[in-house]
Amino acid sequence: MTTKKVTKKAKKSGLKTYAKRRNLKKSKEPAAKRPKKRKTSKDLIFVIQKHAASHLHYDFRIEYNRVLKSWAVPKGPSLNPAVKRLAIVTDDHPMSYAKFEGVIPAGNYGAGTVMVWDIGTYQNIKEKDGKPVSMRECFKRGIIEIFLHGTKLMGGFALIRTGREKQWLLIKMRDEYASARKNPVNTQNKSALTDRTMTQIKKDSPNG
Ligand code: MN
């Protein structure tokens, strides 16, 4: 990681670590910006990016407070409620990163091909004693339950914080979309945005 000065804008965005780790002149990733607060509530965004960095993993990101809270899931999501997938907290990312697809050039943080594997909206479905629990409270307690409306994934998923720093578990909740047999991570290997494979994304990129 290179240490460099972070602009005022990046500091204000709450995305200091994100900005620090990147040289956006060399890597065409989105800038550290946070959009203005919305007056009306609207569906919140989730995205899962397949990322062929030094180790292939899936970046699971959900909108919260106008940034993308992020976890790296080495094996990607499972539809089997009996399977717990390790999810390691990574830096908050700017909202505009949700549609970032391309190649981060060699020598830069996270170098490698990025695909928007799935994108859509989510709803917070966490309840306690029959009452909704706010996302803020969910993060505080380390128990998040969300319903995903994606192009590949649907249904409830839980993110549970473990006792180990930055280590969470991503688990499919039991509902009609759960399956012990289907494995979209293996069977669906094209971009939700552009219908390209990782190889095609790499080939199309000037950095590939
Ligand atoms: Mn990543």
Side-chain angles (χ1 to χ4, degrees):
M1 189 175 91
T2 52
T3 44
K4 65 177 182 83
K5 270 208 164 163
V6 169
T7 62
K8 256 189 195 163
K9 208 187 236 169
K11 266 186 197 163
K12 250 181 80 185
S13 71
L15 294 162
K16 231 164 89 179
T17 314
Y18 174 92
K20 241 187 198 163
R21 288 182 163 158
R22 280 170 181 77
N23 183 343
L24 299 181
K25 282 190 192 114
K26 290 188 178 153
S27 176
K28 302 260 171 285
E29 295 167 277
K33 264 191 238 160
R34 175 144 60 172
K36 287 209 174 77
K37 243 184 201 159
R38 281 193 297 251
K39 288 212 175 84
T40 51
S41 66
K42 119 179 177 191
D43 285 342
L44 299 169
I45 287 166
F46 89 92
V47 63
I48 300 173
Q49 278 151 324
K50 186 173 179 175
H51 186 185
S54 49
H55 295 280
L56 180 76
H57 61 272
Y58 291 78
D59 288 299
F60 189 92
R61 312 186 197 278
I62 61 173
E63 175 180 1
Y64 174 69
N65 271 352
R66 293 167 288 131
V67 298
L68 294 169
K69 301 305 268 185
S70 301
W71 293 260
V73 184
K75 291 185 177 171
S78 170
L79 296 188
N80 186 346
V83 172
K84 299 177 174 72
R85 288 281 156 87
L86 179 65
I88 302 147
V89 172
T90 57
D91 307 334
D92 295 347
H93 275 53
M95 289 298 297
S96 50
Y97 211 90
K99 289 191 177 170
F100 176 76
E101 189 170 86
V103 176
I104 301 169
N108 291 274
Y109 184 73
T113 307
V114 177
M115 169 201 281
V116 176
W117 185 75
D118 201 6
I119 189 163
T121 58
Y122 81 89
Q123 289 158 327
N124 173 13
I125 54 169
K126 180 70 187 158
E127 288 185 351
K128 207 188 171 204
D129 305 324
K131 285 186 193 133
V133 179
S134 70
M135 281 303 282
R136 185 195 168 89
E137 198 59 30
C138 289
F139 272 104
K140 217 170 108 189
R141 292 184 191 164
I143 303 171
I144 293 168
E145 290 178 6
I146 52 181
F147 193 99
L148 303 183
H149 303 264
T151 63
K152 295 184 175 77
L153 299 187
M154 281 290 285
F157 281 81
L159 277 153
I160 311 291
R161 190 163 56 215
T162 70
R164 287 202 167 169
E165 165 132 39
K166 296 199 172 186
Q167 292 195 6
W168 294 55
L169 297 169
L170 176 66
I171 309 162
K172 180 75 195 74
M173 293 167 73
R174 292 181 193 277
D175 58 25
E176 60 184 297
Y177 304 101
S179 169
R181 190 176 48 83
K182 286 184 194 158
N183 187 354
V185 161
N186 283 350
T187 57
Q188 293 181 263
N189 65 351
K190 285 186 178 169
S191 164
L193 279 188
T194 62
D195 207 39
R196 294 180 297 172
T197 62
M198 292 295 267
T199 311
Q200 285 166 334
I201 293 168
K202 193 173 176 186
K203 227 171 97 189
D204 292 347
S205 166
N207 310 316

